[in-house]
């Protein structure tokens, strides 16, 4: 939220105003919105009263009223309480004012024209017959000479200097911004206090501003979609043609007045200048046109569709003869949102109830079945290893049935392997259990699962798991589930899909949900990106509805892989939120947790120092890499090496990891690691070997990636054009966009106008298929909060960090209406503070595509 701060005083302007008012002049104090004019009036009010003069501040109210409530309150304080409904004429109001102030000279400080309604203006004229009344009116545009009072002057409220703005930001942010960052904020905001505060506060929230050596330092571009509501309020133009003209000038940037006239026409340029959204400044023999504030220009460049920007850029290039680099089009993103506090409370309550029920069942009737359930609950809730092993030992002493005994030994082995780090002891426990008859298949499946997670997958694992003759249905179902995982990590996708189809027809909903994770992963590797996203989204929503933390984590792992495949970036702040939402390291399974951390680092848009911090934090997590794709620590280390400029080291790290994963039997993850290596540094010998690996894997996604990397390394325009549809269909938007960029730079394309035009048209068509909407990773829809359309608008602005007064300005409502909406939001969201409203709203609204329309 934006904090309220005291703005720096303008002493010289205070003295100028005092002289004019004492001389009997009314003053129009001209100041653009957001320049701290309201705070200046309050300071000036104090100055006037200190000199013994009667003065009254009439605040801006957002809508016209018969009389300002501040005036009625002042009359009431002086014993002249008058209801608005009883006020019949200006003369009557003037008489009330005369008796309240004793006929003394009066100064009215008016915060905006709406605060000076017609009846009050007429009453002032009557009051002036008995005593002087001076008016200081804060406004963003001068009153035409034909209608302004004869004894009236205009005074410009100066902008804060760079040093003064730095002091304001220091007070607002709790620490100073370094000199370069203050300059950037000052330049973007044109010195407007409101915008500067919004830019800096949003930068801190989203991670563009980082605390380094006691100063806030801008480490990324300081634009954010959260700024849209406040920035858009500076471009409230009535004519659509003016909006189009402002867009053209914004995309063009700094241009001469002659070029601006050619682009938008004289009439529209004059209207934009009168509206104060562009300025024309002389320099030397030329006049230059710029959008003001500059961040308004950034809004148009960031929020327009790729096709629209391409057309606008074409017009600008014709006039200015300046080549405009097309920006990457907006993508259909997978967004990361914080978890709703309400959901966290519900999950905690569910976990407590489950633990109570499992413990009570075990204590009331100790047996193999109640023991297995209690142990599973202890595992799910991160119980200490010794406590879990104690319960397992007690349950084994109850002489459980063979199936329950098998599961107790399996959990005993998993605690030793995953929680205590003793794989050999775990395997010995499983190998020592040989009297389970037809339930021995559970032990076989558990042993292969342990080896797949922590060691080398047995060469005959698929054969062992496929032998299902004569086994109970529960054993067959478990062995099939593990077999699906082995087929997947070995890249045998057709076999994995066939086995998955069989397994989905068996078992309960819980095991089926675990299989849906593999269903999404298989679809992703087969190149069916949209299906993978749909399955992951539905799976996560189902897990969220059932308050199943383990399955939520599993589907977030799939979504994290989708982000990496897409080539989408994630801010450091979002990554930190995601890690915090994951909670403690789970006892079992652990691969999904590690995968989310690694994939998050691969997607993080951060400096080398920031990446170093993330990698070191990952090193402190005591989890071994598994054979699942995206769970290798070497991938994170390689990205850090690349950020430090050591591409050769990054490529070697990933290649060594690929060879190790091949040794362990994780052929799919090995091919992905090799692909990362080739992206850092292409090597034809290694690429040839990877081609052989891919022939065994049936992965369309990886095949398309290799074709792209080879075409890019060879600079082959034909191959690049051919691979783009494959990249797009497999969800690799980042690679597809890079392929278009590479094509435009190839000499063979630049020298062929017809080919260049065709590629540009293809790129425009591809860009048009991308959009800003999408799913939220960890998105939590507060189903209890049935918001109205207006309440949803208010909620979005709260999420963007606006105060009630700023929401009032953005939606053109009264402050009382805004307060009522916020009050209803609190009630519906079941929260009691404004910060909790923002937390809840951010967790399920995020950035909507309508904000960018």
């Amino acid at each position: 939220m934006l904090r309220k701060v005291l703005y720096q005083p303008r002493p010289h302007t205070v003295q100028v105003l005092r002289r004019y008012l004492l001389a009997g002049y009314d003053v129009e104090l001209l100041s653009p919105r957001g320049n701290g004019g309201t705070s200046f009036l309050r300071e000036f009010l104090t100055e006037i009263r200190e000199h013994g003069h009667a003065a009254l501040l009439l605040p801006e109210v957002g809508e016209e009223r018969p009389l300002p409530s501040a005036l009625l309150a002042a009359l009431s304080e002086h014993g002249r309480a008058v209801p608005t409904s009883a006020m019949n004429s200006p003369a009557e109001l003037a008489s009330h004012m005369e008796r309240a102030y004793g006929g003394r000279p009066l100064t009215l400080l008016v915060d905006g024209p709406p605060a000076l309604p017609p009846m009050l203006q007429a009453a002032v004229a009557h009051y002036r017959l008995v005593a002087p009344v001076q008016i200081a009116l804060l406004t963003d545009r001068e009153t035409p000479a034909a209608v302004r009072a004869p004894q009236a002057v205009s005074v410009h409220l100066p902008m804060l200097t760079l040093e003064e703005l730095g002091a304001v930001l220091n007070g607002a942010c709790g620490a100073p911004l370094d000199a370069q960052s203050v300059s950037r904020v000052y330049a973007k905001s044109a010195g407007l206090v409101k915008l500067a505060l919004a830019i800096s506060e949003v930068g801190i929230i989203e991670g563009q501003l980082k605390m380094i050596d006691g100063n806030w330092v801008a480490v990324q571009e300081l634009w954010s979609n959260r700024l849209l509501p406040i920035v858009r309020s500076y471009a409230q133009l009535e004519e659509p043609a003016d909006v189009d003209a402002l867009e053209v000038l914004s995309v063009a940037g700094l241009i001469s007045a002659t070029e601006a006239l050619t682009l938008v026409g004289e009439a529209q340029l004059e209207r934009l200048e009168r509206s104060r959204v562009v300025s024309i400044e002389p320099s030397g023999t030329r006049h230059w046109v710029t959008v003001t504030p500059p961040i308004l220009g950034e809004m148009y460049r960031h929020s327009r569709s790729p096709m629209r920007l391409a057309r606008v850029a074409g017009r600008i290039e014709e006039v200015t003869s300046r080549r405009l680099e097309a920006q990457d089009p907006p993508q259909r993103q997978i967004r990361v949102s914080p978890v709703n506090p309400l959901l966290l409370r519900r999950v905690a309550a569910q976990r407590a109830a489950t633990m109570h029920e499992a413990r009570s069942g075990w204590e009331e009737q100790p047996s193999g079945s109640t023991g297995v359930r209690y142990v599973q609950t202890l595992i799910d809730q991160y119980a200490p290893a010794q406590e879990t092993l104690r319960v397992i030992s007690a349950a084994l002493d109850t002489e459980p049935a063979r199936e329950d005994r098998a599961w107790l030994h399996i959990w005993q082995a998993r605690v030793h392997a995953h929680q205590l780090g003793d794989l050999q002891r775990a395997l010995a426990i499983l190998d020592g259990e040989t009297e389970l008859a037809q339930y021995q298949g559970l032990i076989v499946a558990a042993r292969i699962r342990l080896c797949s997670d922590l060691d080398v997958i047995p060469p005959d694992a698929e054969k062992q798991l496929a032998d299902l003759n004569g086994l109970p249905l529960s054993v067959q179902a478990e062995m099939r589930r593990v077999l699906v995982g082995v087929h997947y990590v070995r890249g045998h996708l057709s076999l994995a899909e066939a086995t998955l189809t069989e397994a989905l027809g068996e078992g309960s909903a819980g095991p089926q949900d675990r299989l849906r994770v593999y269903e999404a992963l298989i679809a992703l590797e087969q190149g069916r990106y949209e299906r993978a996203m749909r399955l992951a989204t539905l799976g996560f929503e189902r897990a969220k509805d059932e308050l199943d933390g383990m399955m939520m984590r599993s589907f977030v792992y799939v979504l994290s892989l989708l982000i990496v495949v897409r080539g989408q970036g994630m801010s450091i702040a979002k990554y930190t939120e995601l890690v915090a939402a994951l909670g403690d390291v789970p006892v079992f399974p652990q691969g999904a947790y590690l995968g989310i951390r690694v994939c998050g680092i691969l997607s993080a848009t951060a400096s080398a120092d920031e990446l170093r911090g993330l990698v070191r934090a990952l090193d402190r997590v005591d989890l071994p890499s598994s054979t699942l794709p995206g769970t290798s620590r070497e991938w994170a280390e390689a990205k850090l090496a690349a950020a430090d400029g050591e591409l050769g080291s990054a490529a070697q790290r990933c290649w060594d990891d690929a060879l190790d994963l091949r040794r362990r039997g994780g052929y799919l993850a090995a091919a992905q690691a090799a692909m990362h290596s080739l992206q850092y540094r292409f090597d034809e010998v290694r690429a040839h070997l990877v081609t052989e690996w891919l022939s065994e894997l049936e992965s369309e996604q990886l095949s398309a990636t290799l074709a792209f990397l080879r075409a890019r390394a060879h600079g082959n325009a034909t191959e690049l054009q051919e691979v783009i549809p494959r990249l797009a269909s497999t969800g690799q938007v980042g690679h597809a966009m890079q392929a278009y960029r590479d094509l435009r730079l190839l000499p063979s394309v630049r020298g062929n106008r017809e080919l260049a035009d065709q590629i540009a048209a293809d790129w425009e068509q591809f860009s048009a298929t991308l959009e800003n909407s999408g799913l939220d990773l960890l998105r939590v829809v507060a189903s209890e909060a049935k918001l109205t359309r207006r309440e949803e608008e208010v909620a979005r602005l709260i999420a963007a960090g606006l105060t009630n007064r700023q929401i009032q300005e953005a939606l053109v409502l009264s402050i009382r209406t805004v307060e009522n909406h916020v009050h209803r939001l609190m009630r519906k969201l079941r929260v009691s503070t404004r910060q909790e409203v923002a937390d809840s709203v951010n967790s399920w609204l995020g950035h909507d595509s309508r904000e960018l329309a």
Side-chain angles (χ1 to χ4, degrees):
M1 307 302 297
L2 299 181
R3 290 185 287 273
K4 188 175 182 180
V5 299
L6 292 177
Y7 300 107
Q8 300 298 300
R10 282 89 154 184
H12 175 71
T13 309
V14 169
Q15 298 306 317
V16 171
L17 284 182
R18 286 192 67 240
R19 287 198 296 269
Y20 275 124
L21 293 174
L22 289 174
Y25 286 88
D26 288 342
V27 177
E28 284 192 349
L29 184 60
L30 301 177
S31 173
R33 292 178 301 109
N35 190 32
T38 299
S39 293
F40 176 82
L41 286 183
R42 296 185 185 282
E43 296 165 4
F44 189 52
L45 177 66
T46 302
E47 171 80 13
I48 293 175
R49 287 176 173 173
E50 285 178 351
H51 286 79
H53 300 296
L56 177 64
L57 174 64
L58 304 180
E60 192 273 332
V61 295
E63 59 185 20
E64 290 192 6
R65 297 179 180 177
L67 287 175
S69 56
L71 173 63
L72 297 177
L75 294 177
S76 177
E77 289 176 3
H78 289 82
R80 307 301 305 174
V82 181
T84 305
S85 58
M87 195 65 61
N88 297 316
S89 69
E92 183 181 356
L93 174 60
S95 65
H96 284 295
M97 294 171 60
E98 180 184 350
R99 284 192 288 271
Y101 288 100
R104 291 182 297 154
L106 176 64
T107 301
L108 296 179
L109 306 182
V110 185
D111 189 1
L116 191 64
M119 178 177 283
L120 179 56
Q121 294 181 40
V124 167
H126 285 279
Y127 191 96
R128 280 175 171 164
L129 296 176
V130 296
V133 178
Q134 263 60 60
I135 298 174
L137 172 65
L138 178 68
T139 179
D140 62 350
R141 60 191 63 195
E142 195 168 3
T143 303
V147 298
R148 68 188 301 177
Q151 287 286 98
V153 295
S154 297
V155 175
H156 287 272
L157 181 65
M159 311 294 290
L160 292 180
T161 65
L162 179 64
E163 293 75 17
E164 289 170 337
L165 183 65
V168 171
L169 295 180
N170 183 4
C173 301
L177 277 70
D178 75 316
Q180 185 178 13
S181 300
V182 171
S183 298
R184 289 175 63 181
V185 173
Y186 192 85
K188 286 176 177 290
S189 64
L192 296 176
V193 177
K194 183 189 294 186
L195 276 180
L197 286 170
I199 293 169
S200 58
E201 296 258 0
V202 170
I204 291 172
I205 292 171
E206 295 195 344
Q208 291 98 346
L209 284 170
K210 292 291 184 182
M211 179 66 73
I212 301 176
D213 296 331
N215 292 316
W216 291 109
V217 179
V219 296
Q220 296 180 39
E221 177 57 44
L222 291 176
W223 169 259
S224 166
N225 286 338
R226 285 176 180 260
L227 296 171
L228 276 170
I230 188 171
V231 176
R232 190 184 292 119
S233 68
Y234 284 84
Q236 295 177 348
L237 303 174
E238 297 180 359
E239 298 294 333
D242 291 345
V243 176
D244 292 341
L246 181 58
E247 177 189 11
V248 171
L249 296 177
S250 297
V251 176
L254 178 67
I255 58 173
S256 70
T258 303
E259 293 171 331
L261 287 171
T262 305
L263 282 171
V264 303
E266 182 176 0
Q268 286 172 346
L269 184 60
E270 287 182 356
R271 283 200 297 270
L272 293 178
E273 187 180 16
R274 284 198 302 270
S275 300
R276 299 180 184 274
V277 293
V278 301
S279 59
I280 303 177
E281 302 292 341
S283 178
T285 60
R286 306 178 71 181
H287 287 71
W288 299 94
V289 177
T290 58
V291 175
T292 182
I295 200 166
L296 177 59
E298 291 192 39
M299 182 194 78
Y300 280 98
R301 290 193 292 272
H302 284 87
S303 63
R304 287 301 189 254
S305 70
M307 294 181 66
R308 174 72 176 169
L309 287 177
R311 287 194 294 270
V312 171
R315 291 172 53 193
I316 295 170
E317 290 170 5
E318 291 177 3
V319 173
T320 65
S321 301
R322 180 173 52 179
R323 182 72 178 173
L324 295 178
E325 286 295 327
Q327 297 184 2
D328 289 345
Q331 300 183 22
R332 181 170 50 203
Q333 296 179 342
I334 304 171
R335 295 196 179 90
V336 183
S337 296
V339 173
N340 190 321
L342 179 61
L343 177 76
L344 295 180
R345 292 195 290 269
R346 292 172 59 203
V347 169
Q350 173 79 358
R351 286 160 59 91
T354 302
M355 176 61 79
H356 175 74
E357 187 177 351
R359 182 185 290 114
S360 298
W362 163 253
E363 291 174 349
E364 292 172 4
Q365 188 178 357
S367 66
S369 59
T370 59
V372 169
R373 184 184 179 192
Y374 188 22
V375 168
Q376 289 176 328
T377 305
L378 290 170
I379 294 291
D380 289 342
Q381 303 196 20
Y382 318 104
Q386 296 307 320
E387 179 181 354
T388 306
L389 292 175
R390 178 181 56 79
V391 174
I392 291 174
S393 178
L396 288 171
D397 289 341
T398 64
E399 299 184 1
R402 286 175 175 172
E403 184 175 6
D404 292 332
R405 193 169 83 211
W407 278 113
L408 289 169
H409 280 300
I410 289 169
W411 285 116
Q412 186 181 30
R414 287 172 175 172
V415 169
H416 280 282
H418 291 283
Q419 204 167 3
L420 300 178
D422 191 348
L423 177 61
Q424 296 308 313
R425 170 64 175 153
L427 295 177
I429 290 172
L430 295 178
D431 292 342
E433 185 54 70
T434 58
E435 300 179 359
L436 297 175
Q438 69 267 40
Y439 292 100
Q440 193 67 33
L442 296 175
I443 298 294
V444 171
R447 194 183 197 285
I448 292 173
R449 175 71 187 270
L450 275 181
C451 291
S452 177
D453 287 344
L454 305 173
D455 196 34
V456 178
I457 303 174
D460 62 343
E462 289 166 302
K463 181 179 179 181
Q464 291 184 54
L465 293 168
D467 187 8
L468 305 176
N469 293 331
L471 298 180
L473 293 180
S474 61
V475 178
Q476 292 186 38
E478 179 63 19
M479 293 179 71
R480 281 200 180 97
R481 283 191 287 270
V482 176
L483 181 57
V484 169
V486 173
H487 283 325
Y488 169 73
V489 297
R490 284 189 165 168
H492 301 160
L493 301 181
S494 297
L495 291 174
E497 189 172 29
T499 306
L500 178 69
T501 302
E502 295 179 11
L504 283 174
E506 304 169 353
S508 61
Q512 281 191 340
D513 283 342
R514 291 196 289 273
L515 286 171
R516 295 293 182 189
V517 173
Y518 279 113
E519 188 177 18
L521 291 171
I522 291 168
L524 177 60
E525 291 303 325
Q526 290 175 332
R528 296 182 291 171
Y529 180 86
E530 295 295 335
R531 174 174 170 77
M533 180 184 290
R534 184 170 62 257
L535 288 169
T537 306
L538 293 175
F540 174 75
E541 291 297 325
R542 186 165 51 248
K544 180 196 68 183
D545 292 340
E546 296 174 0
L547 302 178
D548 189 335
M550 184 190 76
M551 292 312 303
M552 288 171 65
R553 187 166 53 241
S554 297
F555 282 108
V556 171
Y557 159 63
V558 181
L559 292 168
S560 300
L561 279 177
L562 287 165
I563 288 176
V564 174
V565 169
R566 185 174 180 80
Q568 180 180 320
M570 181 191 302
S571 71
I572 293 293
K574 290 297 185 184
Y575 174 79
T576 304
E577 290 173 356
L578 182 57
V579 171
L582 290 175
D584 297 331
V585 178
V587 176
F588 178 88
Q590 298 174 338
Y593 179 93
L594 186 59
I596 296 169
R597 297 287 296 264
V598 171
C599 291
I601 292 176
L602 290 181
S603 305
T605 53
S607 65
D609 287 339
E610 289 172 323
L611 281 175
R612 191 169 289 105
L614 298 183
V615 173
R616 297 297 168 259
L618 179 61
D619 289 341
R620 293 191 289 271
V621 178
D622 187 20
L623 287 181
S625 300
S626 79
T627 54
L628 281 172
T631 63
S632 174
R633 298 170 181 274
E634 291 300 316
W635 297 12
E637 295 281 358
K639 179 171 182 178
L640 175 58
D644 286 329
E646 301 172 3
L647 294 180
S649 174
Q652 190 61 47
R653 277 184 175 276
C654 288
W655 186 255
D656 291 342
D657 185 55
L659 297 178
D660 184 60
L661 285 167
R662 289 281 299 182
R663 176 189 64 80
R664 294 178 57 187
Y667 302 148
L668 187 61
Q672 291 186 344
M675 218 65 71
H676 283 290
S677 175
L678 296 176
Q679 288 181 47
Y680 290 126
R681 178 165 292 177
F682 189 83
D683 182 293
E684 188 59 52
V685 176
R686 290 177 176 176
H688 181 73
L689 181 58
V690 174
T691 302
E692 296 180 3
W693 294 357
L694 293 184
S695 65
E696 308 168 358
L697 299 186
E698 310 167 0
S699 173
E700 170 58 18
Q701 177 213 319
L702 293 178
S703 296
T705 305
L706 181 60
F708 161 66
L709 295 175
R710 181 172 276 129
R712 189 182 187 201
H714 295 165
N716 190 310
T718 302
E719 292 179 2
L720 279 173
Q721 284 181 284
E722 291 175 349
V723 80
I724 286 175
R726 296 178 64 191
L727 294 172
S729 66
T730 56
Q732 301 181 76
V733 175
H735 284 158
M737 293 167 64
Q738 183 62 56
Y740 276 116
R741 283 193 290 267
D742 292 341
L743 276 170
R744 295 199 300 270
L745 296 175
L746 289 178
S748 60
V749 174
R750 299 176 70 177
N752 186 334
R753 182 58 182 270
E754 183 179 352
L755 179 59
D757 290 344
Q758 178 60 48
I759 290 173
D762 291 344
W763 178 85
E764 183 172 329
Q765 184 177 5
F766 172 72
S767 301
T769 66
L770 305 177
E771 54 189 74
N772 284 295
S773 60
L775 61 96
D776 273 357
L777 184 57
L778 296 185
R779 180 177 181 144
V780 181
V781 180
S783 58
E784 298 87 350
K786 302 186 186 309
L787 304 183
T788 66
R789 191 183 188 104
R790 178 62 84 181
E791 287 168 351
E792 188 172 323
E793 287 180 324
V794 173
R796 293 182 190 282
L797 296 180
I798 290 176
L802 273 67
T803 63
N804 283 1
R805 182 67 67 181
Q806 292 165 334
I807 294 172
Q808 171 203 344
E809 295 175 358
L811 298 181
V812 195
L813 300 172
S814 70
I815 191 66
R816 178 65 63 187
T817 301
V818 173
E819 290 171 351
N820 288 338
H821 285 317
V822 174
H823 175 73
R824 285 193 292 268
L825 278 171
M826 289 184 177
R827 187 179 69 251
K828 291 183 178 182
L829 293 174
R830 301 180 185 178
V831 297
S832 57
T833 68
R834 188 179 180 85
Q835 185 58 52
E836 287 181 315
V837 171
D839 291 341
S840 297
V841 166
N842 276 320
S843 70
W844 57 270
L845 283 180
H847 296 310
D848 191 274
S849 59
R850 286 175 290 176
E851 290 183 343
L852 303 178

